[in-house]
Amino acid sequence: LLRQEEEYIEGICANIVAFKPDLVITEKGVSDLAQHYFLKAGITAFRRLRKTDANRVARAVGATIVNRPDEIQETDIGTNCGLFEVRKIGDEYFAYLEECKDAKACTVLLRGGSKDVLNEIERNLQDAMQVVRNVMFDPRMLPGGGATELALCNALDSSKDDIEGISKWPYAAISTALEVIPRTLAQNCGSNVIRVLTELRTKQSEGQTTWGVNGITGEPADMNDLAVFEPYCVKAQTLKTAIESACLILRIDDVVSGTRKKQG
């Protein structure tokens, strides 16, 4: 039984060695005997790599993950990696696959002084990558600094008189509610909120819809000059969610106020 096992492992390794790879990566373990055969052939073996990581490595080097070594083809071998090396950072060893041509995946290595710092860096990076993703899917951008909200306020204010009946009041309330964004920005900067909002309303009424609050100085500024923009899809979704939440609360309020206590 032991001889059969050795012959089986030797056969698997022979199938892999025949294609003369430099690096073999497996999702499960690699036995000592298999390591011996790989070492004789000058092949580095990495074991117990997570499936998600293995998929990303395959995309980076242009390889195909195979389940049966006897079905390997020449096209399955990834040849796009220019440099493979192992480096030590602190007490840990890390494998680097670099200089990949036409790589479809990559790794961003984050380092920080403590766990908290590292977690914060990771959160910021995730936010930045999601912004890039949103812009790739929908390239439309809106001016930041509360300029979009003020432009919407101006548009709603000018058109609220066209609406008849009770619907006019929630329509006007949305206009008032949107001012909370530039007002909060001005408050956070410690500037005179009333003066800043008055200046911005004047600018908006003159048709300068890209003016908002400078988040550093708290003064009114043109967002085109500061290059502060927000993705359209995020802004639109924020407004939809806010209005839907308000409608939901009002509906609940209607239901609660409509119930009468049972007479004793």
Side-chain angles (χ1 to χ4, degrees):
L1 283 172
L2 285 170
R3 194 179 73 252
Q4 279 182 328
E5 184 186 346
E6 287 176 11
E7 287 171 358
Y8 176 70
I9 291 171
E10 189 179 1
I12 289 175
C13 293
N15 287 328
I16 297 170
V17 171
F19 291 93
K20 297 179 181 174
D22 300 311
L23 178 65
V24 173
I25 297 176
T26 67
E27 194 182 329
K28 298 289 192 290
V30 178
S31 69
D32 292 342
L33 189 61
Q35 287 180 45
H36 165 71
Y37 288 125
F38 283 144
L39 188 64
K40 276 174 62 178
I43 297 170
T44 304
F46 267 105
R47 61 185 179 179
R48 306 200 189 287
L49 195 70
R50 277 186 307 201
K51 190 168 188 176
T52 50
D53 291 341
N55 287 333
R56 288 170 62 234
V57 169
R59 292 182 67 183
V61 302
T64 306
I65 296 174
V66 292
N67 296 318
R68 293 167 62 96
D70 52 346
E71 293 178 356
I72 296 175
Q73 298 176 353
E74 193 70 49
T75 53
D76 296 332
I77 309 298
T79 56
N80 292 348
C81 182
L83 174 67
F84 161 70
E85 63 178 358
V86 177
R87 299 181 203 153
K88 188 177 183 183
I89 299 176
D91 297 330
E92 300 283 335
Y93 287 96
F94 294 88
Y96 283 78
L97 297 160
E98 296 181 329
E99 299 174 20
C100 299
K101 61 183 183 209
D102 194 29
K104 300 285 194 303
C106 68
T107 301
V108 179
L109 183 65
L110 302 177
R111 296 173 67 185
S114 66
K115 277 274 177 67
D116 294 333
V117 173
L118 201 55
N119 289 337
E120 190 61 35
I121 294 168
E122 187 176 358
R123 277 196 294 274
N124 292 339
L125 179 69
Q126 288 280 5
D127 290 344
M129 287 167 67
Q130 291 299 329
V131 169
V132 174
R133 173 189 170 279
N134 289 333
V135 173
M136 290 294 289
F137 280 121
D138 189 347
R140 291 177 291 177
M141 303 293 281
L142 296 171
T148 307
E149 284 79 8
L150 282 166
L152 286 170
C153 285
N154 198 32
L156 291 170
D157 273 336
S158 59
S159 61
K160 68 183 178 186
D161 293 329
D162 301 337
I163 295 170
E164 296 177 0
I166 201 168
S167 302
K168 178 179 178 180
W169 304 114
Y171 192 85
I174 293 171
S175 168
T176 311
L178 286 170
E179 278 191 358
V180 76
I181 303 292
R183 186 185 292 117
T184 305
L185 282 170
Q187 279 175 346
N188 288 348
C189 297
S191 57
N192 188 325
V193 177
I194 296 169
R195 185 179 60 79
V196 170
L197 283 177
T198 306
E199 279 186 49
L200 288 172
R201 283 198 201 98
T202 307
K203 294 282 186 188
Q204 292 286 341
S205 60
E206 291 170 357
Q208 299 180 21
T209 54
T210 58
W211 277 71
V213 180
N214 183 331
I216 298 169
T217 62
E219 296 296 316
D222 191 342
M223 293 297 116
N224 287 336
D225 297 339
L226 296 179
V228 176
F229 298 100
E230 294 179 277
Y232 166 83
C233 55
V234 174
K235 185 67 79 178
Q237 189 58 51
T238 306
L239 288 169
K240 285 177 189 171
T241 308
I243 293 167
E244 282 171 7
S245 302
C247 290
L248 184 67
I249 291 165
L250 289 171
R251 278 201 198 99
I252 294 167
D253 193 50
D254 271 356
V255 173
V256 171
S257 62
T259 58
R260 280 192 290 176
K261 290 182 181 178
K262 287 183 181 180
Q263 296 297 323

